[in-house]
Amino acid sequence: MYQNCTTGQLQLALQYELKVASDHIVNLINDFVNSIPNEVLLDAGDHNKKTDRPAAHLGILLKAILYGYSRRQFSGRKIELMMQKNLPMMWLVQQQTFSYHTINSFITSEKTAQLLKRIFIQFTGKLHELGLISQDALFIDGTKIEADANKYSFVWRRSTEKHQAKIEEHVGELYDELVENNIKSTIEKEEAKTIQGVETITDQLEKEVDQLDRMIENEPKIIKGGSQNKQKRRRIKKYVRKLKEDYLPRLKKYREQMATFGDRNSYAKTDHDATFMRIKEDPMLNGQLKPGYNLQIATNHQFVIDYDIFSNPTDTRTLVPFLKQMACREMFETIVADAGYESEYNYTILIDEFNSISRY
């Protein structure tokens, strides 16, 4: 076999080590995630029941997601593909790969949402340590983002209240008919308009039908002028069908809708948390209401310090809950917000609880 023994001959050495530029963003992501305490990451993981350890290293997953998002890749499949083909991503995750199921499960986990809040505290501390933010002021503003919901699947509070009042009126009319036909009820008329009242009346009518059935069995087969009990049973069955198949389901539906509304005036059937509001992106230029969310962001020196998402379309109702959930609020001396947050309630809370208010 031929062996090369020529001294000084040029040879090409293959380098298998992955390297990235020193100013690449993956270095910043790597240093930041490595600075997060391990106990913070371990608390956010779903542990294996047999080994009591996370199914995947959460630090690696967090690095992959942060880098993928920085490259506007929000799909689990695309992030998985980056792990296989993108050199900076391969360097960041140490050539490990995870399925898109694992990535999506990590993104949508409730523990991950809690982890992000704790990471924002770490991120703010890191920015302050590097001198990239100051403690003089915290700037708050909001924007509307469209929800991933059908824009024609709206439910309006006013419409629900209108239909609920009508169905209660129909129940009251049926109650009056029962009284006119000498069918006694153990509840009052106003109580009969509730779901429990309708169920009570239905049970009483069904018992009345059973009693009439027994009476009809003992009657002769032929009665001159017809059986009065059969006529009465026919009327009562009609009432029972109307109550069970129409009034009761609609009352339950309206009660569920009112519970979903909360303090809002609308919601989407395909996303109950989304509220119909005016979105800045209006290609039809007709001011159409669309399902969306009110995203609130706190910034300092163009860095996002904290965020939260609300279903309220107006900013006045978001300021106080946003400030109360903000863990790093005490780091900043002044809170700056525009006139869209102005209300007497907000002024009162800022003075009483936060002990500071300045007008500009």
Side-chain angles (χ1 to χ4, degrees):
M1 181 177 180
Y2 174 77
Q3 294 183 356
N4 182 16
C5 60
T6 305
T7 304
Q9 184 174 355
L10 178 64
Q11 296 181 353
L12 297 177
L14 298 178
Q15 298 289 338
Y16 294 99
E17 182 181 2
L18 295 176
K19 293 183 179 181
V20 295
S22 59
D23 58 347
H24 201 281
I25 191 174
V26 292
N27 293 292
L28 181 61
I29 295 175
N30 183 62
D31 294 340
F32 170 66
V33 176
N34 289 340
S35 66
I36 300 175
N38 288 329
E39 55 270 16
V40 175
L41 295 174
L42 292 175
D43 290 342
D46 294 328
H47 291 66
N48 189 298
K49 295 181 179 179
K50 295 182 179 180
T51 61
D52 194 29
R53 57 180 291 185
H57 195 289
L58 301 184
I60 298 294
L61 280 174
L62 184 59
K63 292 177 183 179
I65 292 171
L66 290 177
Y67 179 63
Y69 282 11
S70 69
R71 290 296 178 263
R72 303 187 66 82
Q73 301 296 330
F74 306 107
S75 168
R77 293 180 183 270
K78 291 184 178 180
I79 294 177
E80 178 188 3
L81 189 62
M82 290 181 66
M83 290 182 177
Q84 300 171 0
K85 296 185 176 181
N86 187 283
L87 291 181
M89 174 69 86
M90 295 170 64
W91 176 87
L92 187 62
V93 300
Q94 297 298 303
Q95 295 184 321
Q96 298 185 46
T97 57
F98 300 100
S99 68
Y100 68 93
H101 290 290
T102 303
I103 298 172
N104 291 337
S105 297
F106 177 72
I107 294 174
T108 58
S109 172
E110 183 65 27
K111 292 184 178 180
T112 303
Q114 300 174 4
L115 173 64
L116 290 178
K117 285 294 183 182
R118 301 181 67 178
I119 287 177
F120 261 96
I121 301 175
Q122 301 283 337
F123 181 67
T124 304
K126 192 73 173 178
L127 292 175
H128 184 264
E129 178 184 341
L130 297 175
L132 297 176
I133 61 174
S134 60
Q135 296 180 336
D136 54 350
L138 183 67
F139 299 87
I140 297 177
D141 202 358
T143 186
K144 309 295 192 305
I145 56 176
E146 187 173 355
D148 187 13
N150 191 332
K151 61 182 179 180
Y152 298 110
S153 62
F154 44 77
V155 181
W156 304 105
R157 175 187 287 272
R158 185 177 298 179
S159 177
T160 299
E161 292 175 346
K162 175 183 175 182
H163 291 302
Q164 186 176 16
K166 281 187 176 181
I167 200 68
E168 290 176 354
E169 182 181 350
H170 292 329
V171 173
E173 293 174 355
L174 188 144
Y175 183 89
D176 293 336
E177 290 184 20
L178 294 177
V179 174
E180 292 177 0
N181 293 321
N182 297 323
I183 301 176
K184 298 181 180 180
S185 177
T186 59
I187 60 177
E188 298 296 331
K189 183 176 180 180
E190 291 301 322
E191 185 181 354
K193 296 180 181 180
T194 63
I195 294 178
Q196 293 77 11
V198 173
E199 291 176 344
T200 302
I201 293 177
T202 304
D203 293 339
Q204 293 176 358
L205 293 178
E206 289 178 341
K207 292 179 181 178
E208 186 77 15
V209 170
D210 294 338
Q211 184 178 357
L212 290 172
D213 288 339
R214 291 190 294 269
M215 295 174 62
I216 292 172
E217 289 178 357
N218 299 325
E219 290 181 348
K221 294 184 178 180
I222 300 176
I223 300 177
K224 186 177 181 180
S227 173
Q228 296 295 326
N229 291 329
K230 289 184 178 180
Q231 296 177 8
K232 185 177 181 180
R233 184 182 64 175
R234 194 177 300 114
R235 288 195 302 269
I236 294 177
K237 283 186 175 181
K238 179 181 177 181
Y239 295 143
V240 171
R241 284 195 301 270
K242 187 174 289 292
L243 288 171
K244 293 182 67 174
E245 299 177 6
D246 186 12
Y247 293 166
L248 187 58
R250 289 167 65 184
L251 282 173
K252 289 182 178 180
K253 182 181 73 171
Y254 297 147
R255 184 178 66 175
E256 292 176 357
Q257 289 179 355
M258 294 301 296
T260 305
F261 283 126
D263 58 350
R264 301 176 295 163
N265 292 324
S266 64
Y267 71 87
K269 293 180 181 178
T270 53
D271 186 355
H272 290 180
D273 293 329
T275 306
F276 279 80
M277 58 186 73
R278 298 190 186 278
I279 308 296
K280 292 181 179 179
E281 292 78 11
D282 187 14
M284 301 299 293
L285 300 178
N286 57 0
Q288 182 182 12
L289 299 178
K290 297 180 181 179
Y293 293 96
N294 192 349
L295 174 63
Q296 296 294 313
I297 301 176
T299 63
N300 183 281
H301 285 250
Q302 299 185 2
F303 287 101
V304 177
I305 305 301
D306 206 340
Y307 75 97
D308 205 351
I309 296 178
F310 298 89
S311 298
N312 296 319
T314 58
D315 291 336
T316 54
R317 296 184 179 182
T318 63
L319 179 62
V320 173
F322 183 43
L323 291 175
K324 287 185 177 180
Q325 64 85 37
M326 193 180 300
C328 58
R329 175 180 50 81
E330 297 181 355
M331 292 180 56
F332 302 92
E333 300 174 358
T334 308
I335 299 171
V336 181
D338 58 24
Y341 297 89
E342 185 178 13
S343 70
E344 182 179 355
Y345 173 75
N346 289 343
Y347 281 138
T348 304
I349 296 298
L350 289 174
I351 294 174
D352 295 342
E353 297 190 13
F354 302 115
N355 298 322
S356 64
I357 182 172
S358 300
R359 293 184 299 176
Y360 291 89

